[in-house]
Structures are given as structure tokens and as C-alpha cells.
Amino acid sequence: MSLQRWIALGMMLGFAAWAQDVVEAKLGPAGTVSVSRGQTVLATIDLNAHGPGWAHAAQSEATATAADLPKAAGKQFAGNLPIPKTDGGAIQYTETVTALSQGFRLEYDLTMTKAMKLSGLQFSINLPVENHRGKEVVISPLYDDPRVVGLPDEQSASGRFQLWSGQGAKIEVGKGTPDAITVQLRAATDVVVQDLRQWEQPVFEIRLPAITEDAGHELAAGQKFHLDLTITFASPVKLTGPAK
């Protein structure tokens, strides 16, 4: 067999192995999602917020109950996320995770339990640095050319952590690779790409913020927010969890 045919055969076998490598999207008890391909963690995904003074509230700290969607189509979580420094304030959320052949659809409906201030309210897709350094993030607005953002090998010596901010309707990470991730939003929204290594978090964060305000944004009791997006991958996806 010629060298060229050996190379072609090797490429075909490699592609077949990639195509058959199922991605697992594992749901946590509160509705967080950890996505992996074999031993490689591709992303962790969650809702999170900040009370006054940027006091952080992670979805992993929420309490929630999970139920199956009809016809085993996915899961729905009904949860309560306490917000620090708000005198007992919390965000009630309903999260619906619907399985797709190569990903899942996420819908969040949020309700404020009382009048309170939030410095931040956001949805985060966290990308482990060890698996995504050197790759590109392509953010496509509705009516403008895509923006290309590089994920640096090393963190900035100057302390710069925000890599890009603007509007986007579609976000592609590592396009054309086995670890590719595509986020399709129902409507264009604010997008922030950050390098969190200076806070000893070895991740790049793609943040979809609803609120970012140092002094805190006043919210009324019963005020609502909605988020709707799909996340897809380069291989078939198996939705698992939460553990019972």
C-alpha cells in the first residue's frame, strides 16, 4: 500500500473514532450540566448570580427537585437559589433540559422572591483551560460580521481578564475540532468572554449576562427573566443524571 493510501486510511479511521465518540451531558442535582467526551471535560454550564458587593451565588448551591419530561425527552428542575446579602432573597427557577441528537436545549424561567439588589445575574459556559487554550471563539451577531476571539495559552501579565464583550446570537468554540461547541441563542444578547485564571479558576468563561452593575440593580418582587438557547457538539450526546 502506498504512503498516500496509508495516510488516507489513518484519517478515515480517526474520523470514524471521533464520530462514534459519544459526549455525555451529566445533570447535577440543582440542574448544572457537566459535558465530557471520554475523560475530556468540554464544559460546565450553570446559572449564577451576585448579590450586593458581588457576593456570589452558584447554581450548584441551590436546592431543586427534578422530574422527567414526557416521553423521556429530558428533565425539568424546580429550584431555589438563595442570594447572599439580600436578607433572605432568592431566585426561584424552572429549568427545562430537552435532549437533542447532538446536544440539548436549555430554558430558564426565573422569578425574584422579594425586592432586592443584584450586582450580577448571568448564565455561564465554563471551558477548561487545559482543553481549550489556543482555540478560537467565533461570535456571530445578527446583522454584522462574526468576531473571532482567541483563547490565550497564558493569562495576561497585565491582569487583563476580559477578552471580548458585545452582542451575539451564535457562539462557536473550536469549530471543526472534536471538542467543538456551538451555542445558538433564541435572540441576540450580551456576550462576555473572560479568562478566570487570575482568580485561581482554570477556565475560560462565556458569560451571558442579564445584569452587570457594581452598585447593584434594584429588582422588584415577582420580577421575571427568561433564557432560551441550544448547545450542540461534534458528536452524539447522551443526557444523564441527576443521581437519585
Side-chain angles (χ1 to χ4, degrees), residues 133 152-160 195-199:
R133 66 199 319 160
D153 285 317
E154 304 296 334
Q155 70 183 90
S156 170
S158 67
R160 177 176 174 265
D195 183 345
L196 301 187
R197 281 176 283 186
Q198 74 178 68
W199 288 283

Side-chain angles (χ1 to χ4, degrees), residues 87-163:
D87 193 24
I91 299 173
Q92 290 182 343
Y93 64 90
T94 300
E95 174 191 356
T96 305
V97 188
T98 306
L100 305 173
S101 60
Q102 288 193 208
F104 44 87
R105 179 182 177 186
L106 281 170
E107 295 177 82
Y108 277 90
D109 287 293
L110 313 178
T111 304
M112 306 300 121
T113 61
K114 61 173 290 185
M116 58 184 167
K117 278 188 178 181
L118 291 183
S119 290
L121 175 61
Q122 57 272 328
F123 178 81
S124 297
I125 302 165
N126 297 302
L127 311 171
V129 168
E130 63 178 308
N131 298 325
H132 293 282
R133 66 199 319 160
K135 294 179 181 175
E136 293 180 336
V137 179
V138 180
I139 301 108
S140 300
L142 281 177
Y143 306 111
D144 204 350
D145 294 332
R147 305 292 194 267
V148 179
V149 181
L151 300 177
D153 285 317
E154 304 296 334
Q155 70 183 90
S156 170
S158 67
R160 177 176 174 265
F161 66 92
Q162 190 172 105
L163 305 177

Side-chain angles (χ1 to χ4, degrees), residues 50-74:
H50 292 88
W54 295 99
H56 189 234
Q59 187 176 352
S60 59
E61 300 167 356
T63 56
T65 57
D68 293 327
L69 294 179
K71 300 181 180 179

